[in-house]
Amino acid sequence: MSVPFLRDTATVFSREVAPMFREPLGLLFTMGQPLLFLFLFGPLLGQTQSFAGQGSHWQWFVPGILIMMCLSGPMMAGYMLLVELIGGSMERMLVTPLDRTAMLVGRTLKEFVALLAQAVLIIALAVPLGFRLYPAGVLAGLVMLVVFGVGLGALSFVLAIASRPGGDLFYGVTQLVLFPLMLLSGVLLPMDSGPQWLRTAAALNPVSYIVEAERSLFSGRFADTSVLYGTLAACAIAVIGLVMGTRAMRRGI
């Protein structure tokens, strides 16, 4: 990487992350739904038959909440880019000598910081509830979560660029894709208890492999095959997102 590229990336990153530091409560407001699930839905899981005799259900549920945040956070990251494209403020950046790939990387790094801060907060709040902390596993799980989030964020930027000038495509696709990906990944309830057609649909969902990998890592089970499959799925999404995002930034704006 060249020095100008790193400088441009730092410039875009500082521009994007500054509002977040000026209004840190905004991070908490975006966590409203995950916090409700953590405190109101999580305790109910311990009373279900699916977790009887299998240890703390928090080791199963907390990783699912983190994936839920990743889907509802970075996946919607393109919204602000779409607002700038529609409003015309993005045009002022395009006339500068900033590298367009650096524009994508800087924005993606901002999503990385926000996602990591929210994930650490959720884990800290889950420990008093009964979540057992495996430091090495949590660290590896957070790395995988960030890789997955970077890919989703980049794909969200691609969709935002393709949705201009109206933005209807962005809203339609995100709402159409978000909830099926979330429900078919088993973040709320075990998919093993579902009918065969539902389990088959879940097996075609790459997010379900990342969820299972996160659960294995957060329980300290590094040797599970699910970790390998989840790592491959997260890396594949990240590579596809960054390649498509870089191409869209260079050609599509």
Side-chain angles (χ1 to χ4, degrees):
M1 293 185 184
S2 64
V3 174
F5 176 80
L6 295 176
R7 184 184 62 244
D8 290 348
T9 300
T11 299
V12 176
F13 172 75
S14 61
R15 174 183 180 270
E16 295 297 319
V17 81
M20 185 176 70
F21 285 120
R22 284 197 298 265
E23 298 180 4
L25 289 179
L27 284 176
L28 295 178
F29 288 136
T30 60
M31 294 178 62
Q33 187 182 62
L35 289 174
L36 285 176
F37 276 108
L38 180 67
F39 290 112
L40 300 183
F41 188 79
L44 298 176
L45 289 178
Q47 310 302 320
T48 62
Q49 270 190 332
S50 302
F51 299 97
Q54 294 188 25
S56 174
H57 62 283
W58 294 108
Q59 305 300 133
W60 186 93
F61 189 54
V62 170
I65 294 180
L66 299 183
I67 295 295
M68 184 189 305
M69 286 195 316
C70 196
L71 288 173
S72 60
M75 193 172 183
M76 297 298 293
Y79 171 76
M80 290 308 300
L81 176 61
L82 181 61
V83 170
E84 292 183 7
L85 289 171
I86 295 175
S89 60
M90 189 65 182
E91 295 178 1
R92 292 194 292 270
M93 289 191 67
L94 295 178
V95 298
T96 67
L98 286 173
D99 186 278
R100 293 196 176 188
T101 302
M103 293 182 186
L104 171 71
V105 176
R107 287 175 175 271
T108 305
L109 287 178
K110 179 260 182 180
E111 298 303 322
F112 156 81
V113 171
L115 178 62
L116 190 60
Q118 291 173 332
V120 170
L121 179 59
I122 286 290
I123 293 170
L125 293 174
V127 170
L129 298 175
F131 175 73
R132 185 175 179 183
L133 198 62
Y134 294 88
V138 168
L139 181 60
L142 289 177
V143 171
M144 182 183 296
L145 186 74
V146 167
V147 170
F148 177 46
V150 165
L152 281 183
L155 289 173
S156 181
F157 295 142
V158 174
L159 182 59
I161 293 172
S163 301
R164 57 184 181 146
D168 293 337
L169 179 64
F170 181 86
Y171 305 124
V173 171
T174 51
Q175 294 304 313
L176 181 65
V177 172
L178 175 61
F179 289 104
L181 283 179
M182 185 181 299
L183 296 176
L184 289 175
S185 63
V187 296
L188 297 178
L189 293 170
M191 299 300 295
D192 295 339
S193 58
Q196 181 60 47
W197 68 268
L198 195 60
R199 297 199 299 270
T200 301
L204 299 176
N205 179 11
V207 181
S208 63
Y209 297 98
I210 300 174
V211 172
E212 291 304 317
E214 290 284 341
R215 285 169 177 156
S216 296
L217 289 173
F218 274 61
S219 296
R221 303 193 306 270
F222 287 88
D224 280 8
T225 55
S226 61
V227 175
L228 174 61
Y229 296 143
T231 302
L232 292 175
C235 290
I237 292 173
V239 170
I240 293 172
L242 290 175
V243 170
M244 293 182 64
T246 300
R247 184 175 303 172
M249 279 288 188
R250 286 178 174 175
R251 302 179 180 179
I253 298 181

